[in-house]
């Protein structure tokens, strides 16, 4: 058994041509509870991000970019209170960005471009000034203060 016990732990399976789905057991495995960085980017993964992923409450980085993932961005993203980086770009996510994203105090970067996401990134309530945005299919950037840049 491979035990990850010293934080911050890294789970990196990026760039491995993996296919299939992200197992729903990933967030329920006790030996993965210390993971701070989850990187499964640049593979051929399908399906949605399992809701159990949001049990990994010590995550600082969630990177699933450049796969074939579908579904919406879950409201349960708010459970990841230490999350600083979210990279979900270049997939097939749809729907809107959950309001909970605006309440994430440590979030610094949110990459969700090249998906089928609609609407604007919710207004951020944190006192820390930062820009979180995304590019829509037309290349317009929507910022957290609801300003649109050309």
């Amino acid at each position: 058994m491979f035990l990850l016990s010293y934080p911050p732990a890294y789970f990196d399976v990026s760039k491995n041509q993996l296919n299939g789905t992200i197992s729903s057991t990933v967030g329920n495995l006790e030996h993965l509870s210390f993971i701070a960085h989850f990187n499964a980017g640049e593979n051929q993964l399908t399906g949605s991000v399992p809701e159990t992923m949001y049990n990994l409450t010590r995550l600082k980085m969630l990177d699933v970019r450049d796969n074939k993932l579908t579904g919406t961005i879950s409201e349960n993203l708010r459970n990841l209170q230490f999350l600083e980086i979210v990279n979900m770009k270049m997939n097939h996510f749809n729907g809107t960005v959950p309001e909970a994203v605006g309440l994430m105090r440590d979030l610094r970067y949110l990459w969700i471009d090249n998906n089928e996401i609609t609407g604007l990134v919710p207004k951020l309530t944190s006192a820390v000034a930062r820009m979180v945005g995304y590019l829509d299919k037309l290349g317009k950037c929507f910022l957290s203060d609801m300003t649109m840049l050309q």
Side-chain angles (χ1 to χ4, degrees):
M1 179 168 88
F2 183 71
L3 183 62
L4 299 173
S5 61
Y6 185 79
Y10 294 81
F11 180 85
D12 190 339
V13 294
S14 63
K15 300 179 186 178
N16 278 295
Q17 300 178 350
L18 299 176
N19 56 37
T21 61
I22 300 172
S23 173
S24 62
T25 62
V26 72
N28 293 330
L29 298 174
E30 186 175 324
H31 62 279
L32 294 181
S33 65
F34 288 103
I35 287 182
H37 297 219
F38 182 93
N39 187 350
E42 299 181 54
N43 284 296
Q44 300 295 314
L45 298 173
T46 57
S48 60
V49 175
E51 288 297 309
T52 56
M53 178 70 73
Y54 307 109
N55 294 340
L56 299 174
T57 56
R58 296 175 193 223
L59 274 185
K60 290 185 173 203
M61 183 192 80
L62 173 61
D63 188 342
V64 293
R65 74 182 180 279
D66 198 8
N67 278 289
K68 296 177 181 177
L69 297 171
T70 58
T72 60
I73 297 174
S74 174
E75 279 284 338
N76 289 325
L77 194 62
R78 72 179 176 269
N79 295 346
L80 307 178
Q81 62 182 343
F82 302 112
L83 203 57
E84 297 175 4
I85 300 169
V86 176
N87 193 344
M88 300 175 118
K89 70 181 182 180
M90 298 170 48
N91 280 289
H92 302 286
F93 293 113
N94 58 42
T96 59
V97 179
E99 289 293 321
V101 169
L103 303 174
M104 296 175 72
R105 64 184 163 105
D106 289 342
L107 187 63
R108 298 290 183 263
Y109 300 99
L110 173 63
W111 289 292
I112 54 175
D113 53 289
N114 291 303
N115 280 293
E116 296 154 27
I117 305 231
T118 58
L120 300 174
V121 175
K123 186 169 180 70
L124 298 168
T125 59
S126 172
V128 178
R130 60 189 182 259
M131 183 177 81
V132 179
Y134 69 93
L135 296 175
D136 72 357
K137 291 178 186 175
L138 301 175
K140 296 177 182 173
C141 185
F142 294 86
L143 304 177
S144 59
D145 64 356
M146 304 302 183
T147 305
M148 185 176 75
L149 299 177
Q150 294 288 341

